[in-house]
Amino acid sequence: MVAVVLIAMVAAFLALRLYMVLGKRSGHEESFPTQAEDRAVTQGATRPVTDAVPPKDGLIALDSSVEPGAAAGLRQIAQAENGFDAAAFLDGSKSAYRMILEAYWKGDEEQLGWLTDADVRESFSEAIAARRAAGEVLDNRLVTIEKAVISAASVEGRTARITVRFDADIAAVTRDSAGNVINGSMDDAVPTHDVWTFARPLKSNDPNWLLVETDEAS
């Protein structure tokens, strides 16, 4: 695709893998406000996303990883961004999901700064600050991403937006400042269902997408 798709990051970024618990939760996970803002976003020079090789026929391959309602929007994006590859985008979104999750869990606001837009970043920062004020530390682990599906896609003005539903298993533990477990268990993975929306200005020289919205799966 022409500068549009999240794909697997290079080895240097693999060391940074970022996880976070968002969306529908059960049991002992921490929760924080979701964001629902529609805005075009840009990033700095270093990101975990790159261009992908465009499909030869320029068409979007639709399968079980794309819900029917997203097909028209994906075709719109493909028309605006010659060579867009939905499959490559979805692979890259999984990498971004991991990276953002771990950044939130670690309280790494610098990493979140180049992975999310201003509103999502502010929401995360507030949750991190509240956690620190309570003297709590998250010791979470993404066990597996069971499924990732593109559930919506659109072109709004000059901005492309793609929504992905992630079904994942996460082991979540909250510790106090002394390292004692006060909630959760690393032996008990919790099903998590997140709906994330990524956005990028069309025909931008910047190939990267930002997380602009998080929500709970219905």
Side-chain angles (χ1 to χ4, degrees):
M1 68 190 187
V2 176
V4 197
V5 178
L6 285 161
I7 63 173
M9 68 287 294
V10 293
F13 285 109
L14 290 174
L16 298 174
R17 301 182 318 178
L18 315 166
Y19 314 143
M20 169 182 58
V21 178
L22 289 179
K24 182 175 293 183
R25 300 168 178 80
S26 59
H28 45 256
E29 307 92 275
E30 176 187 31
S31 63
F32 51 87
T34 59
Q35 296 294 323
E37 298 295 328
D38 174 18
R39 63 177 60 201
V41 289
T42 57
Q43 270 180 289
T46 306
R47 287 81 163 190
V49 293
T50 62
D51 293 354
V53 177
K56 293 181 179 179
D57 57 9
L59 300 177
I60 299 299
L62 300 178
D63 54 26
S64 60
S65 65
V66 178
E67 294 184 358
L74 289 174
R75 292 191 179 98
Q76 275 188 298
I77 295 172
Q79 289 172 358
E81 291 283 357
N82 201 16
F84 171 79
D85 186 332
F89 174 92
L90 192 59
D91 284 343
S93 74
K94 296 176 187 178
S95 297
Y97 182 72
R98 290 175 176 269
M99 294 182 72
I100 294 170
L101 287 177
E102 192 172 71
Y104 171 70
W105 289 342
K106 291 181 177 179
D108 191 338
E109 296 182 66
E110 180 179 355
Q111 296 297 336
L112 288 171
W114 48 266
L115 292 164
T116 65
D117 86 328
D119 291 327
V120 172
R121 190 180 315 132
E122 181 180 358
S123 178
F124 290 174
S125 295
E126 290 175 356
I128 290 170
R131 193 170 70 218
R132 287 173 177 162
E136 297 176 349
V137 176
L138 295 184
D139 183 10
N140 295 359
R141 178 171 59 90
L142 178 62
V143 177
T144 184
I145 299 175
E146 295 284 354
K147 188 176 182 180
V149 177
I150 295 176
S151 60
S154 64
V155 173
E156 302 178 10
R158 298 304 304 164
T159 301
R161 291 168 62 91
I162 300 179
T163 300
V164 182
R165 174 189 166 120
F166 298 97
D167 296 333
D169 292 332
I170 294 173
V173 169
T174 302
R175 301 180 185 274
D176 61 20
S177 57
N180 301 309
V181 175
I182 58 176
N183 219 336
S185 169
M186 292 301 286
D187 298 323
D188 181 22
V190 178
T192 305
H193 310 287
D194 300 326
V195 179
W196 287 10
T197 299
F198 300 90
R200 175 185 173 274
L202 291 168
K203 299 187 181 301
S204 170
N205 291 329
D206 188 336
N208 306 294
W209 296 71
L210 292 181
L211 176 63
V212 299
E213 184 179 330
T214 67
D215 205 348
E216 297 181 355
S218 58

